[in-house]
Amino acid sequence: MGDVANSSIEFHPKPQQQREAPHAGGFGCTLAELCSLMELRGAEALQKVQETYGDVGGLCRRLKTSPTEGLADNTSDLEKRRQIYGQNFIPPKQPKTFLQLVWEALQDVTLIILEVAAIVSLGLSFYAPPGEESEACGNVSAGAEDEGEAEAGWIEGAAILLSVICVVLVTAFNDWSKEKQFRGLQSRIEQEQKFTVIRNGQLLQVPVAALVVGDIAQVKYGDLLPADGVLIQGNDLKIDESSLTGESDHVRKSADKDPMLLSGKQQDGAMESSQTKAKKQDGAVAMEMQPLKSAEGGETEEREKKKANVPKKEKSVLQGKLTKLAVQIGKAGLVMSAVTVIILALYFVIETFVVDGRAWLAECTPVYVQYFVKFFIIGVTVLVVAVPEGLPLAVTISLAYSVKKMMRDNNLVRHLDACETMGNATAICSDKTGTLTTNRMTVVQSYLGDTHYKEVPAPSALTPKILDLLVHAISINSAYTTKILPPEKEGALPRQVGNKTECALLGFVLDLKQDFQPVREQIPEDKLYKVYTFNSVRKSMSTVIRMPDSGFRLFSKGASEILLKKCTNILNSNGELRSFRPRDRDDMVQKIIEPMACDGLRTICIAYRDFSAAQEPDWDNENEVVGDLTCIAVVGIEDPVRPEVPEAIRKCQRAGITVRMVTGDNINTARAIAAKCGIIQPGEDFLCLEGKEFNRRIRNEKGEIEQERLDKVWPKLRVLARSSPTDKHTLVKGIIDSNTGEQRQVVAVTGDGTNDGPALKKADVGFAMGIAGTDVAKEASDIILTDDNFTSIVKAVMWGRNVYDSISKFLQFQLTVNVVAVIVAFTGACITQDSPLKAVQMLWVNLIMDTFASLALATEPPTESLLLRKPYGRDKPLISRTMMKNILGHAVYQLTTIFTLLFVGELFFDIDSGRNAPLHSPPSEHYTIIFNTFVMMQLFNEINARKIHGERNVFHGIFGNPIFCTIVLGTFAIQIVIVQFGGKPFSCSPLSTEQWLWCLFVGAGELVWGQVIATIPTSQLKCLKEAGHGPGKDEMTDEELAEGEEEIDHAERELRRGQILWFRGLNRIQTQIRVVKAFRSSLYEGLEKPESKTSIHNFMATPEFLINDYTHNIPLIDDTDVDENEERLRAPPPPSPNQNNNAIDSGVYLTTRGTKSATSSVFSSRPGSPLHSVETSL
């Protein structure tokens, strides 16, 4: 219900430039004064305000603003304020320039090696040895070669350099466009942040950056304060200042004790964004706001802090798998290239000096060196082709492309990897209100004056007294920001502004032909005596007003089963009180509330209570105040299911995703809506639980949550009703930590309220509502649904799966090229002393295969068929068996073709053989045909690679992807140019039409061969291994479980040494504990205290140390120890290994399965024990 607390604040946003002028621009405060004021807290600040300005009103006057009307909304005044006090935004970090990106791309090791080799080769080609014509140096060049050709030795070196430059530019350009897209996204997220200010007495939503000093702003529950400020008026305002002070308790702010409010908006980025959450219990708050971080000394650390908080590039599961795979491939390539170079060099040396028996002549040295450089270049090109540098590129392109397209599907992605994780989601925990339903609440049934109305009653049917009470109770006891405005367009529905449940009640007042506005004008917000705002614990909201006879009247509304328990009277049909006993209440629940709930209605009770002037209660004792009520009415509010939701949920279920509904509504309403949506189907085995029952089932006698108990509940749970935010977090954490299925669950969660923050953070993917969501929820989420609609989540699943598939398509294609090119270069070099594919040709192949193909295959649009398969697991390998079959199958075809052409091609085409050509001989047609055929096969195989699940029709939907078509045709065109006019640099000689047709024919054979491969059932090929598994168990746990911990550097994570040292440390501590124990038995007998829950055991439970696999061989403790058993008797029983301990969420247990339970018991200490000092020092 109502995040009710409106408040006004005055803002002085952040100055960029230091302008010091005596009372600048006619305002009564300088920048420096405001800055020094904001550095004070509490009483000091109040004193300073009183001394300098008299009171907050005085400060407003100095800043030429009115606490009630706000600033005049004229541009020149606002501009002047910006000039003097600066603007309210933090300038973004400078993007990298294109040149910096080029420089970064040049850092690639293989490219550097190539550059060096090319330069050496260039240098040597210009050196003409004196004994050039002497035959002594072996066959340097055949006689047929004319002088001009010999001079062209430099071309190869130059061409290699040129192609390196090409590769670098393409990489840099890709990075640059990626960076640009990312910035666009960031600025889009930032522009979406608006804040409510009062200007000219009107409430306006302005972008946070447009706030100026002197603005009066309204703060509601769950807002992030966009600037520093001073409180003008407020009710029970609490603010989370933990990011500044480190204190987790909320700080109470009031105009008479501590009026200073500090901005807590941090550029989004670091895992734990600090926020100053305005948490209000009630009423109106008004504050004056002050410069957000001025440029002065005290504030500079703030800037530094912001700089350090640049978004960390988080490594997603997919990137983890890919990096691992790329490293493995790179290693293999390195070995191959080294072997190639060694074989070539040995062969040459033996051939020249041993077989032909030549002596090494001094004047021949440069010639020989040139040979060696050539071998070296061949080796390096093998390496270049082997290393798939296109992999990271493919991921980035694919993610960036998806993110851009997802914008159109109403998904605003805040963290890139969320989009790919979403494809693996196995469970979605969704809110009900607004996500599954339209969030346009309407009152459809009511119980007034002893009568149950199935539709809105006629005003004449009600007693005037009841009607009057009802109108007042609804109009006053709701946030004054909640209104019903006339529709924007003719014939549309009236606009509901503010809290939807309250809108339904206000709508009910309008349906009764009454009006709420006059009532509100008669009792404005600042006349309200006390407000208890709605929160998830109370589940009710109450407002107290002072009556003309100086008594008080309290209006209350809330969940019917909760408020009816506090009612002792009820109004009958004449508007008189009659007593309302527990028996009557049960009667009412059965006859009115349950039938309403079974129709899917949310029931709300509206009640009041009068206090005479004499018996003014203690207003802080809320339980006493809100009790002994008189029930006016019970209304049933319906929130209709969105028409498109049932279909979306069916799609999710088909795709192997379980949808669970978590709502604060009562169980009958929830069950009715779940049935309408199709979350529960008749005849299925499912659970619908209330929060209480859920907690009873999952907690043991001590009230601790046990994973085993949770594992019995969650697989069948479909609806969790009357749940608190903690229940939601518990459920999400329980499903994620569960080991029952064959693979770990990947959970997506939707949330809109401030209290959903923890669950959104804990989930693998958190969806926040763009319209209804609070800033805090958006800050904690990964994806923002700009239309608050469940169908957008299904779109996100589709895109996520598409990213995964795009990467797999690219991999399938890339690896085929790699395998073939490496083997051809290697065997060719060994048999004919010269790679059939030249260095420059290899680089071109590498360029089209890596960069262009990643563009072509990574931008395939998603299809509905993606939702027909089950989700991939976390540890499912990237390269499935089917893909492995395709890769090897196509490699066989290509290798056969190329070797046939290499060894008998000259006979077939009736041309000169290109084998064993001397050093600077002109390019031969023979080798050109091989190169051309190779590229043609790659082009056709690129079409095959579009399908990875063994589908037959590879052309399906090909025209839906213009990028793909452009790239394939473009590559083909460039290939024609290279072959026909590439000449010496590309080692190509022009081919005739017939030869071209043969090349095309052999290339197109790939498509036919693809069909052949598709007929071979994968299940028969047991020998095929999958590759590219996810990070293993041990690497995964710390990644998955590191709950909001700062990302630890990957390299550090992999250092097992750390863990071993940790164990040694533990061993030492244990030895010390034993010594301590000896003392304890005598000293601490008197100090026995109840068992402490914060034993080291839990304390050490940080995810980084979840040690599964390598515990066994590290001697933790000698089991045969006698003390150990004594200790075990005194200590509480060791918790079960995967107990989900709520007290300390980061639970990780050293007693992993398989270690002796001895360890756990050592660490359970008593609060009084000296061990406590050890815990803290740890």
Side-chain angles (χ1 to χ4, degrees), residues 598-797:
C598 292
D599 294 341
L601 306 186
R602 173 190 282 187
T603 52
I604 284 180
C605 173
I606 300 166
Y608 79 105
R609 176 184 182 180
D610 284 333
F611 298 95
S612 64
Q615 52 166 42
E616 180 173 345
D618 165 15
W619 295 114
D620 287 338
N621 184 352
E622 189 194 323
N623 287 340
E624 209 167 281
V625 176
V626 185
D628 199 8
L629 304 171
T630 303
C631 170
I632 305 172
V634 173
V635 293
I637 297 182
E638 180 179 51
D639 185 4
V641 172
R642 287 176 182 257
E644 63 277 20
V645 162
E647 176 54 26
I649 286 181
R650 247 198 320 283
K651 281 182 187 163
C652 282
Q653 289 162 343
R654 249 207 324 266
I657 302 170
T658 315
V659 183
R660 294 183 174 81
M661 182 163 102
V662 182
T663 174
D665 254 355
N666 85 29
I667 186 119
N668 297 328
T669 315
R671 191 184 281 126
I673 300 263
K676 283 182 193 164
C677 295
I679 291 178
I680 53 183
Q681 262 107 17
E684 262 188 8
D685 179 19
F686 58 80
L687 284 174
C688 293
L689 296 180
E690 282 199 344
K692 275 201 192 109
E693 169 66 10
F694 172 69
N695 277 306
R696 201 183 56 70
R697 291 196 183 197
I698 61 170
R699 293 174 188 271
N700 59 16
E701 300 70 49
K702 291 187 191 156
E704 291 163 344
I705 296 170
E706 286 195 359
Q707 187 70 41
E708 292 91 80
R709 291 175 182 237
L710 237 170
D711 287 346
K712 292 197 185 88
V713 176
W714 72 257
K716 287 184 183 174
L717 184 69
R718 290 293 174 274
V719 176
L720 183 57
R722 281 278 176 254
S723 68
S724 67
T726 352
D727 295 338
K728 193 173 190 174
H729 181 257
T730 307
L731 176 67
V732 172
K733 185 175 183 325
I735 296 180
I736 290 180
D737 293 348
S738 164
N739 304 332
T740 46
E742 53 277 8
Q743 60 198 31
R744 166 162 129 44
Q745 297 278 319
V746 177
V747 184
V749 168
T750 67
D752 50 8
T754 306
N755 41 23
D756 290 329
L760 288 171
K761 260 201 159 64
K762 175 70 193 160
D764 294 290
V765 182
F767 286 94
M769 300 300 148
I771 304 170
T774 56
D775 291 353
V776 178
K778 290 180 188 172
E779 200 69 36
S781 68
D782 301 302
I783 298 180
I784 296 173
L785 297 176
T786 48
D787 63 345
D788 289 14
N789 193 337
F790 188 82
T791 43
S792 307
I793 300 179
V794 182
K795 295 258 175 51
V797 172

Side-chain angles (χ1 to χ4, degrees), residues 430-447:
S430 170
D431 275 357
K432 176 178 76 70
T433 314
T435 316
L436 300 172
T437 57
T438 54
N439 205 3
R440 269 200 73 87
M441 302 280 203
T442 40
V443 172
V444 284
Q445 294 186 22
S446 52
Y447 177 80

Side-chain angles (χ1 to χ4, degrees), residues 1011-1178:
Q1011 296 302 317
V1012 174
I1013 294 178
T1015 29
I1016 307 171
T1018 316
S1019 48
Q1020 304 297 297
L1021 304 168
K1022 289 278 184 287
C1023 52
L1024 288 183
K1025 284 277 181 291
E1026 298 149 326
H1029 284 270
K1033 252 294 184 273
D1034 46 340
E1035 294 157 52
M1036 201 161 84
T1037 41
D1038 44 10
E1039 261 186 47
E1040 318 304 55
L1041 302 177
E1043 200 185 329
E1045 313 276 339
E1046 285 293 312
E1047 291 284 285
I1048 293 158
D1049 190 323
H1050 265 260
E1052 284 176 13
R1053 278 201 188 153
E1054 273 139 31
L1055 292 178
R1056 288 287 168 287
R1057 297 212 319 269
Q1059 273 130 347
I1060 293 168
L1061 287 173
W1062 163 250
F1063 272 120
R1064 284 192 197 143
L1066 278 187
N1067 265 341
R1068 287 198 189 133
I1069 292 176
Q1070 285 159 11
T1071 323
Q1072 288 160 7
I1073 291 172
R1074 290 185 193 152
V1075 177
V1076 167
K1077 250 177 3 207
F1079 282 103
R1080 183 162 86 185
S1081 47
S1082 53
L1083 272 180
Y1084 285 83
E1085 286 303 279
L1087 283 179
E1088 290 296 351
K1089 291 201 181 136
E1091 308 293 46
S1092 95
K1093 275 202 182 142
T1094 44
S1095 54
I1096 294 201
H1097 180 85
N1098 297 329
F1099 169 72
M1100 292 181 331
T1102 30
E1104 277 68 65
F1105 305 119
L1106 191 65
I1107 307 163
N1108 291 5
D1109 309 352
Y1110 26 84
T1111 351
H1112 311 301
N1113 39 20
I1114 304 172
L1116 270 180
I1117 294 185
D1118 191 349
D1119 302 85
T1120 52
D1121 214 327
V1122 187
D1123 303 334
E1124 204 47 64
N1125 297 328
E1126 279 172 31
E1127 174 65 12
R1128 209 175 304 167
L1129 299 173
R1130 345 185 70 164
S1136 58
N1138 48 2
Q1139 166 188 16
N1140 180 337
N1141 186 343
N1142 229 21
I1144 290 140
D1145 259 350
S1146 55
V1148 171
Y1149 302 89
L1150 270 175
T1151 21
T1152 36
R1153 316 123 195 72
T1155 342
K1156 310 292 179 290
S1157 67
T1159 23
S1160 67
S1161 46
V1162 186
F1163 298 126
S1164 319
S1165 69
R1166 300 189 170 69
S1169 73
L1171 185 53
H1172 259 325
S1173 54
V1174 183
E1175 291 179 28
T1176 43
S1177 61
L1178 258 178

Side-chain angles (χ1 to χ4, degrees), residues 938-954:
Q938 299 325 323
L939 277 183
F940 284 102
N941 194 29
E942 197 163 343
I943 299 173
N944 275 332
R946 291 182 68 246
K947 301 288 175 221
I948 49 175
H949 297 298
E951 294 92 332
R952 289 276 178 178
N953 180 4
V954 288

Side-chain angles (χ1 to χ4, degrees), residues 427-486:
I428 298 175
C429 296
S430 170
D431 275 357
K432 176 178 76 70
T433 314
T435 316
L436 300 172
T437 57
T438 54
N439 205 3
R440 269 200 73 87
M441 302 280 203
T442 40
V443 172
V444 284
Q445 294 186 22
S446 52
Y447 177 80
L448 282 157
D450 289 345
T451 329
H452 185 179
Y453 296 98
K454 292 284 177 152
E455 57 260 348
V456 179
S460 53
L462 302 174
T463 337
K465 181 184 174 190
I466 295 186
L467 196 54
D468 182 60
L469 265 172
L470 185 67
V471 173
H472 275 76
I474 291 175
S475 311
I476 294 168
N477 185 26
S478 56
Y480 278 29
T481 45
T482 304
K483 306 188 189 56
I484 292 194
L485 302 178

